[in-house]
Amino acid sequence: MNYYVLCKNRDKLFMDVKYKELADKAFVLQKSGRLDEAEKIYNLLLELKHDDVNILNLTGMLYISQKKYEQAVSVLSKAVVLKPIPYIISNLAKAYYMNNEPDKSIRLYKQLEKSGEFNDDVFYSMALAYKKSGDNESAKEYYIKAVKINPDNFSAVYNLASLYKTLGENALALETALKACKIKNNDEDVHS
């Protein structure tokens, strides 16, 4: 191996180490709530490696927490195209929901459901998206699915009780509200 190749490999290794250090620093900043600082580092990292799926995903989640939903949709869409793995698809679905695009959110959640990649949170999120789109019957179906998987999912149980009330199914609303009270007995909204 000649000297040029050795230097080039050493430089690449150095850059990879620095890149990882910056990525780790941005992640710590994001977790500690220093979102603007984390965003600057993520943007720098994406200038260096525009196809880093992990950084695209983290940046998308950062944008969601900053309520920059269009930007979240943009970077998470790129991540899904590069690597359509369930947790990134779910994050993109959340970004669409937050960006007031529930139909796109539902399509992605349906994709996860068909692939068998679902849990109570996916069903709960689908229910929220259906509710936002005005389809209360489908929302009810997915709240019920979420509760069947995890009967202690307070948000799903509470929202199902609320939806039953909206739909005029008062006996089911009361029964479900009592279940929510058992999960979280100090919640004022449930008691009302």
Side-chain angles (χ1 to χ4, degrees), residues 35 61-72 98:
L35 304 180
M61 297 312 294
L62 175 111
Y63 285 146
I64 288 173
S65 62
Q66 292 175 314
K67 299 181 179 172
K68 297 178 180 179
Y69 305 127
E70 285 182 37
Q71 289 170 283
M98 300 303 288

Side-chain angles (χ1 to χ4, degrees), residues 47-181:
E47 284 178 27
L48 297 170
K49 291 184 181 179
H50 66 278
D51 61 348
D52 186 327
V53 173
N54 185 46
I55 298 301
L56 286 166
N57 182 57
L58 289 170
T59 304
M61 297 312 294
L62 175 111
Y63 285 146
I64 288 173
S65 62
Q66 292 175 314
K67 299 181 179 172
K68 297 178 180 179
Y69 305 127
E70 285 182 37
Q71 289 170 283
V73 165
S74 176
V75 296
L76 289 167
S77 293
K78 290 176 190 171
V80 166
V81 167
L82 292 168
K83 197 169 189 177
I85 51 182
Y87 74 91
I88 297 175
I89 293 170
S90 183
N91 290 341
L92 177 58
K94 180 180 182 178
Y96 276 127
Y97 172 82
M98 300 303 288
N99 199 42
N100 290 314
E101 298 179 81
D103 293 337
K104 291 180 180 178
S105 179
I106 291 166
R107 276 196 300 271
L108 289 171
Y109 286 129
K110 284 286 203 184
Q111 181 181 336
L112 291 174
E113 182 182 23
K114 286 178 186 172
S115 72
E117 295 289 338
F118 59 84
N119 56 33
D120 62 308
D121 289 330
V122 168
F123 286 152
Y124 171 70
S125 297
M126 282 180 79
L128 291 174
Y130 274 117
K131 184 142 178 33
K132 187 178 253 189
S133 74
D135 184 349
N136 286 336
E137 287 301 319
S138 293
K140 181 172 77 171
E141 174 188 343
Y142 281 96
Y143 282 136
I144 290 169
K145 285 183 178 188
V147 171
K148 279 184 181 174
I149 292 173
N150 181 1
D152 293 328
N153 182 329
F154 173 77
S155 297
V157 174
Y158 174 78
N159 282 304
L160 178 59
S162 178
L163 185 60
Y164 280 141
K165 184 178 179 192
T166 300
L167 295 172
E169 299 176 32
N170 294 329
L172 286 171
L174 180 58
E175 178 185 328
T176 309
L178 291 172
K179 288 178 185 175
C181 282

